[in-house]
Each structure stands twice: as C-alpha cells, then as structure tokens.
Amino acid sequence: QVQLVQSGGGSVQAGGSLRLSCTTNKLTLSNFCLAWFRQAPQKEREVVARLSSEGTETYADSVKDRFTISRDNSKNILILEMNSLKVDDAAMYYCAVDPDRSAQCGYWDGWYKFWGQGTQVTVFS
C-alpha cells in the first residue's frame, strides 16, 4: 500500500506564504505524474498544479504566478510553495500520484491513485 505523507500548511494572513510537502517511501516520485489538489467546503476538488517526470509544470489559472510545484529528487519530496495567498485559497490540500503516467499529466482526480492525507490551509484577511 502506497502512503503519501503530507506536512506543512496552517494559517496565514492574506498575502502571506506557506509551503506544503509530500513524501513516500514506496515510490520514486520523479518517475510519475504528480499533482496538488484542493477542496474547499461545498466545492468540488480541483487540481492546483501538476508536475511531469521530465519537469513540465502546469498550473490552474487561479494560482498561476503565485504557486510553484517542485520536486526534491534527493529526498523524494513533492513541494508546493504558495505565495501571495488569498482568502479564496483556503482549502484542504492533497498531494497525489498518477502511477500510470509520467507525462501529459491529467487534471482529472480519477487518474491519480495515490493520495496524501490532506493538509488544511487557512487564509484570513
């Protein structure tokens, strides 16, 4: 059973920054499509950022130029750096792995079979 373990997150004032991390000892993350999703109350889960094995980054329009997805291959960690946070960014954030793809990473959560436990991000004005 593949478990993704998340850390980071918390509460921050609007305009502030947070960093989320995700790791596992069951997979080499650099071999697969990786993504961060989020889900706010009464809203559907949405993809925030995707990262392919070769390093192609894709972002939702709502977070472009504010969030950065990256990978530390030496530590097998997936990272989401979130800057200029807005109240609308508040949600539960999840890391995810699509073990069937390494490129052309999809936006549909159904393709991602392994998930982190979720980390709450709260942004107050």
Side-chain angles (χ1 to χ4, degrees):
Q1 182 75 8
V2 176
Q3 280 188 309
L4 304 181
V5 179
Q6 294 181 222
S7 60
S11 293
V12 67
Q13 192 169 22
S17 299
L18 286 172
R19 183 177 190 262
L20 306 182
S21 297
C22 172
T23 189
T24 178
N25 60 4
K26 298 289 188 183
L27 292 175
T28 300
L29 294 177
S30 61
N31 290 340
F32 306 104
C33 279
L34 309 173
W36 287 97
F37 287 79
R38 69 184 180 187
Q39 187 167 22
Q42 280 85 55
K43 290 189 177 181
E44 291 190 1
R45 187 159 54 187
E46 61 174 351
V47 65
V48 172
R50 291 167 273 164
L51 180 64
S52 73
S53 178
E54 72 265 26
T56 300
E57 302 168 34
T58 309
Y59 297 95
D61 288 342
S62 59
V63 306
K64 204 170 292 183
D65 299 325
R66 298 189 298 120
F67 289 15
T68 302
I69 187 171
S70 64
R71 203 173 52 217
D72 184 336
N73 294 338
S74 66
K75 298 179 181 177
N76 203 39
I77 295 175
L78 175 66
I79 298 161
L80 185 67
E81 299 275 4
M82 303 182 291
N83 298 313
S84 303
L85 280 160
K86 303 176 181 179
V87 172
D88 287 347
D89 293 320
M92 187 73 80
Y93 283 72
Y94 300 89
C95 62
V97 177
D98 178 355
D100 297 323
R101 290 175 181 82
S102 61
Q104 296 181 315
C105 304
Y107 58 86
W108 181 47
D109 58 2
W111 285 318
Y112 293 84
K113 295 182 172 59
F114 304 127
W115 291 83
Q117 80 276 18
T119 302
Q120 183 66 46
V121 170
T122 302
V123 185
F124 54 91
S125 58

